[in-house]
Amino acid sequence: MNQKLKFNLKNLLILLAYIFIFGNDLIGQTRCSSLESDQVFITTEIMPKPIISMNEMEKILNQNLNINEFELPASNKIYLSFIINCKGEPLEYKSFRPINQKLEVAVIKTFKEYLKWKPAMQNSRSVDIQLTIEIATEKNKFTILNKKEINNK
């Protein structure tokens, strides 16, 4: 019985080690190991580029979300921060200065569904980078304020 317990414990440890080492790829989107560490850049030699323009993303937001369904002050901004990993996958969305939780969840869901990226590059390697998108919610529509900056990076 003691040998059987050791055998099962050994198998369990092997399984846990396998999940720990390879599990991130099985679970889904994860950060990448950037250069020598797990750092996340805020600027790189080649910045990430959205597959669709921010003008198109703005249109998608306005077509898919009715801003009038949310209780908002007259004019406000959503600051949406997220990481783009070395595969161009956006993850870890966060909203700073929240104005309406339901609205922010809907905006994040829309961004996750429609916005894909070409990854950032540093020293000829794809790296993780953090970006922030500023979205105004005024005049009954969404306006991405830093779209020119993002489109031209």
Side-chain angles (χ1 to χ4, degrees):
M1 172 118 176
N2 203 11
Q3 254 184 337
K4 189 175 183 182
L5 181 62
K6 283 183 182 179
F7 179 74
N8 287 335
L9 187 58
K10 181 180 175 185
N11 287 345
L12 179 62
L13 289 174
I14 292 170
L15 177 63
L16 288 174
Y18 181 81
I19 290 171
F20 180 76
I21 294 169
F22 302 106
N24 284 341
D25 292 333
L26 298 174
I27 294 169
Q29 298 172 331
T30 59
R31 287 202 219 166
C32 302
S33 183
S34 301
L35 301 176
E36 286 87 38
S37 68
D38 288 335
Q39 72 187 84
V40 176
F41 289 82
I42 56 171
T43 187
T44 54
E45 294 168 348
I46 300 173
M47 294 297 286
K49 294 201 182 298
I51 302 297
I52 62 171
S53 73
M54 286 294 112
N55 290 334
E56 291 174 71
M57 190 63 209
E58 186 177 276
K59 287 177 188 173
I60 290 168
L61 278 173
N62 286 304
Q63 289 170 354
N64 290 316
L65 300 175
N66 181 356
I67 204 165
N68 296 319
E69 293 178 5
F70 304 95
E71 291 181 30
L72 299 172
S75 116
N76 253 305
K77 295 178 185 170
I78 299 171
Y79 295 91
L80 194 61
S81 177
F82 54 97
I83 293 173
I84 301 169
N85 70 10
C86 66
K87 299 173 190 169
E89 301 167 333
L91 54 130
E92 296 183 29
Y93 282 91
K94 295 176 189 162
S95 178
F96 294 98
R97 289 200 226 159
I99 57 173
N100 182 299
Q101 186 176 8
K102 288 182 181 180
L103 171 65
E104 288 153 7
V105 167
V107 168
I108 289 170
K109 182 180 176 189
T110 305
F111 268 78
K112 284 181 177 179
E113 185 175 344
Y114 290 96
L115 195 56
K116 306 297 181 224
W117 296 84
K118 293 180 186 175
M121 302 289 288
Q122 184 72 22
N123 295 331
S124 301
R125 292 181 62 187
S126 297
V127 295
D128 300 344
I129 189 166
Q130 183 166 355
L131 289 184
T132 301
I133 295 179
E134 186 179 359
I135 306 166
T137 57
E138 57 188 10
K139 299 180 183 174
N140 296 323
K141 68 175 190 166
F142 295 98
T143 305
I144 298 176
L145 299 176
N146 55 342
K147 61 187 164 202
K148 184 175 181 182
E149 175 187 328
I150 293 170
N151 285 333
N152 293 329
K153 286 186 176 184

